[in-house]
Amino acid sequence: MTMTSEQAAWFADTFEKLVGNVGQAVLGKSHVIRLTFTAMLAEGHVLFEDAPGTGKTSLARALAATVQGSHNRIQFTPDLLPSDVTGVTIYDQKTQKFEFHKGPIFSNIVLADEINRASPKTQSALLEVMEESRVTVDGTTYEAGRPFMVLATQNPIEQAGTYRLPEAQLDRFLIKTSIGYPDHASTVQLLGGSNLKDRSRDLSPIITTQAVADMADLAATTHIDPAVLEYISRLCEETRNAPETRLGVSVRGALAMVRAAKVWAAGQGRNYVLPDDIKELAGVVWTHRFVMDPEAEFSGATAEAVLQRVLNEVAAPQQRANV
């Protein structure tokens, strides 16, 4: 069943309210907030590559407050163990039974701070829960619930003592983006309210976590024409065939684009996806999935430039009227 025009209008109105509410805590970053909510409603995850002090923690708290969800922050360090993330099974001598103590990953919004500082073994603890929203410990599977989203951060400046995220993990992030520093007007507003250490505490919830799950289910019914699906497939194929890349966009990346585009279109009040939606999201959904050829990269080639060339060369289907 395809989303109706009335449902699309309601979705867009609610989406705007969510973005506006978080915008009270994270000033001047409406586009980043839209991308983050797009990932949440597409049931994906976001990787932020930012310098410290740009508001990533504030964003996570504001998201949780807006949807009445739980929030946890995990500081990734070299000595962090997988059980510190997922939880551990402990033997209770009183009951003479093993009990599972859930780790911080069991929250609606999980901030994985400086994820690239943990060892690959600990990073891999996130693979199952990011892909399937569940955790398996000692042979028993535990559901993470809905909504569930990982907001991971990595510092692009200090690389000493860090571990590069493997391609398999990067591929599990729906979106990679950057918050960046606020503009001049937003900075002045922040400085004027310096007494407010955490603006998210004053936020009123807009919807419940169950409503978020319902919105995600509704967004999945957004119509996407077969011609647009073919367009996505051709773009992915061209990124794989590009001489500058060793690996282009995977099938998981193509599916991620479909999910993200459906939410993005519904967020603008449409019950159908346009090729322009694909073009607008291509950079944040796809470039982090590229594995560049070292020689081409040394010569100055970038994932962004390769993707832009592919977008220019592959003809988009003609946009059709409303469904």
Side-chain angles (χ1 to χ4, degrees), residues 168-208:
Q169 187 161 3
L170 283 172
D171 206 27
R172 281 168 168 78
F173 284 102
L174 181 74
I175 287 173
K176 181 185 178 185
T177 186
S178 171
I179 296 178
Y181 293 111
D183 56 29
H184 176 72
S186 298
T187 301
V188 172
Q189 188 177 350
L190 281 169
L191 296 177
S194 59
N195 59 312
L196 302 174
K197 293 185 178 181
D198 185 2
R199 290 172 176 266
S200 64
R201 291 181 180 177
D202 299 327
L203 296 182
S204 300
I206 300 297
I207 58 176
T208 63

Side-chain angles (χ1 to χ4, degrees), residues 11 15 37-39 41-42 219-220 222 258-268:
F11 189 102
F15 193 88
F37 270 117
T38 296
L41 296 171
T222 304
V258 172
R259 299 200 313 271
K262 286 184 174 184
V263 177
W264 192 257
Q268 298 181 44

Side-chain angles (χ1 to χ4, degrees), residues 118-172:
S119 67
K121 182 178 181 180
T122 302
Q123 289 180 14
S124 66
L126 292 172
L127 292 180
E128 180 187 14
V129 68
M130 288 178 66
E131 182 70 17
E132 303 176 23
S133 295
R134 64 184 186 183
V135 175
T136 302
V137 178
D138 295 333
T140 304
T141 299
Y142 306 90
E143 298 294 330
R146 297 178 71 193
F148 170 73
M149 180 168 66
V150 173
L151 300 179
T153 76
Q154 58 181 10
N155 189 337
I157 306 300
E158 298 177 358
Q159 296 299 319
T162 63
Y163 300 87
R164 186 178 183 276
L165 295 182
E167 283 70 30
Q169 187 161 3
L170 283 172
D171 206 27
R172 281 168 168 78

Side-chain angles (χ1 to χ4, degrees), residues 13 123 234 297:
D13 180 64
Q123 289 180 14
R234 290 180 58 202
E297 199 168 19

